[in-house]
Amino acid sequence: MADPIVVVGAALLDGGRLLAARRSAPADLAGRWELPGGKVEPGERPEDALVRELREELGIDADPVERVPGQWPLRAPYVLRVWTARLRPGSPAPRPLQDHDELRWLTPAELWDVPWLDQDVPAVRDVAPRLTAAGR
Ligand code: DCM
């Protein structure tokens, strides 16, 4: 089987809230919510891909903090790996520039209020405890 292609996803945390992004494309994913991110390019470090994708999609300057252990299958050949991330001081606020039409900062109580992409659900579940810890 071909090697998997890594898609990096960001659990962007701020003030104990998690940023969720609603996809505007492609049609089969539109309207569902995800951890923002995208494909790692050949030769690119995943952490660098995360920073690049967050800049492109949301117009923010963010730093990866910690890898969330594990990986989750997307449509072959893609697999999702997730890092927690935080805004750098002075970063613009996130805005939906590409791929998304709405953003929401979710508190722990609101985490399951949005229809996440099926494939992101296990990752969000694993991120949830970090969200509570980050809010303290
Ligand atoms: N993807 C996903 N969940 C995410 C991020 C991306 O399922 N949190 C999927 C959507 C695309 C592929 O990965 O099929 C590549 O993402 P993008 O189009 O954002 O580069």
Side-chain angles (χ1 to χ4, degrees), residues 5-10 21 23 25-26 28-29 33-40 52-53 56-57 72-75 78-82 98-100 116-121 123-124:
I5 298 175
V6 175
V7 171
V8 291
R23 286 200 71 111
D28 57 329
L29 304 182
W33 294 72
E34 68 172 8
L35 301 174
K39 296 177 198 99
V40 178
R52 175 181 55 73
E53 289 283 351
E56 289 172 1
E57 292 186 353
W72 298 275
L74 304 177
R75 204 174 346 196
Y78 300 108
V79 296
L80 178 65
R81 295 185 187 162
V82 173
Q98 251 183 33
D99 299 343
H100 305 115
W116 292 100
L117 289 173
D118 293 342
Q119 58 269 33
D120 280 41
V121 165
V124 173

Side-chain angles (χ1 to χ4, degrees), residues 12 14 55 58-63 86-95 105:
L12 187 69
D14 192 55
R55 184 172 295 134
L58 305 174
I60 60 173
D61 298 317
D63 287 319
R86 65 177 160 228
L87 291 168
R88 288 182 201 147
S91 170
R95 54 207 191 279
W105 287 105

Side-chain angles (χ1 to χ4, degrees), residues 2 4 8 14 18 22 40 48 50 52 61 64-65 83 109 115 132 134:
V8 291
D14 192 55
L18 173 72
R22 189 172 71 183
V40 178
D48 293 338
L50 195 79
R52 175 181 55 73
D61 298 317
V65 177
W83 275 257
T132 316

